[in-house]
Amino acid sequence: MKRISICLIGLLCPLALWAGCAPEKMVKVVFRDGTPGVDADSAAAQPKTLYRYQERYARLEEADPARKTRRLMIANEPDLWTIDLVNKTEQHRVDSEKPSHFRSPVFGTPGSSAFLSSFEFGCELAFMKENSVTPQTATIESRTLDTYRVTEGDQTIYLAVDTEQQKPVIAALEHGDKQVNVVKYVAYDTIANPNMQLFKVPSEVKVSDGKP
């Protein structure tokens, strides 16, 4: 069972509070770190693209034009690849955790609580509904949004979704009355007929162990 976070990929994930995220349709999420104080020109603030499908498949694309880096992570559980698209090199690992389910917490880091690890890219709104949260209406940046909050201890997960499209716009993690992490969604789409080639190593990358 593996997870990714905004800056790190391929980290172990604790057990979730609910059944877990396994999108029946492929989800394509373009997001960026919008945490106050993060330099907009930094690598951390550059948009990232995540594809998720069912329990096994994921693809994370990261690029930083200023530093001329392009990274790709592919999960085709139990196989995991981290790929440098500039040098055309890869690192392959096999997920030894059982069951081999891919996990992608929005805010989770190593050692995070199950509460944080359960809030995943691709299933944000489902998490709120699973926790029986009643949305409130708010106007943010001239947009009418439905807003949700779930609290455990001193941690609160906040989610704002487009009222009409029901797609995430902003997610935030609050400790007490302080906002410590913010994710801004650039695009959020579901795809009925996924291109499964997305979850294979690109042909121009030489695979060291011979497994495609």
Side-chain angles (χ1 to χ4, degrees):
M1 185 184 297
K2 298 289 179 180
R3 74 179 182 182
I4 62 169
S5 63
I6 292 175
C7 300
L8 300 174
I9 56 181
L11 300 174
L12 289 173
C13 180
L15 293 175
L17 286 175
W18 60 303
C21 182
E24 294 182 0
K25 295 182 179 179
M26 185 169 76
V27 179
K28 178 183 178 182
V29 184
V30 183
F31 63 96
R32 66 180 183 84
D33 190 344
T35 304
V38 173
D39 185 349
D41 294 325
S42 67
Q46 301 310 304
K48 299 170 179 61
T49 301
L50 172 68
Y51 298 84
R52 290 198 69 179
Y53 182 48
Q54 299 178 347
E55 296 177 332
R56 291 182 52 198
Y57 304 102
R59 175 187 177 102
L60 178 67
E61 302 171 353
E62 299 181 341
D64 184 359
R67 295 163 182 79
K68 298 180 180 180
T69 60
R70 291 175 62 211
R71 292 201 307 165
L72 173 65
M73 191 283 291
I74 293 175
N76 189 331
E77 289 279 3
D79 293 295
L80 304 160
W81 288 272
T82 304
I83 299 166
D84 184 328
L85 290 173
V86 176
N87 297 326
K88 303 294 190 297
T89 57
E90 57 79 33
Q91 292 181 331
H92 174 236
R93 292 173 294 169
V94 176
D95 184 0
S96 60
E97 297 290 319
K98 301 297 180 184
S100 297
H101 293 170
F102 184 82
R103 293 291 177 250
S104 182
V106 177
F107 299 119
T109 57
S112 291
S113 65
F115 172 65
L116 290 186
S117 298
S118 299
F119 183 61
E120 298 188 50
F121 285 109
C123 296
E124 298 92 334
L125 190 54
F127 172 88
M128 293 297 174
K129 292 181 177 180
E130 184 74 16
N131 282 276
S132 302
V133 181
T134 301
Q136 304 294 317
T137 301
T139 301
I140 301 174
E141 297 178 356
S142 302
R143 300 177 65 177
T144 301
L145 305 175
D146 291 340
T147 63
Y148 298 80
R149 275 189 166 85
V150 175
T151 299
E152 183 179 273
D154 67 344
Q155 295 182 324
T156 297
I157 297 174
Y158 167 88
L159 178 69
V161 304
D162 184 277
T163 300
E164 292 186 4
Q165 298 183 345
Q166 291 296 287
K167 295 180 179 181
V169 176
I170 300 170
L173 174 62
E174 302 169 356
H175 284 180
D177 58 357
K178 183 179 180 181
Q179 215 171 58
V180 294
N181 291 106
V182 176
V183 171
K184 293 190 174 182
Y185 293 82
V186 179
Y188 199 103
D189 298 294
T190 56
I191 301 168
N193 298 306
N195 177 7
M196 300 306 290
Q197 289 298 122
L198 289 169
F199 309 113
K200 295 183 179 180
V201 177
S203 58
E204 66 269 20
V205 176
K206 184 178 180 181
V207 180
S208 57
D209 60 6
K211 187 162 186 173

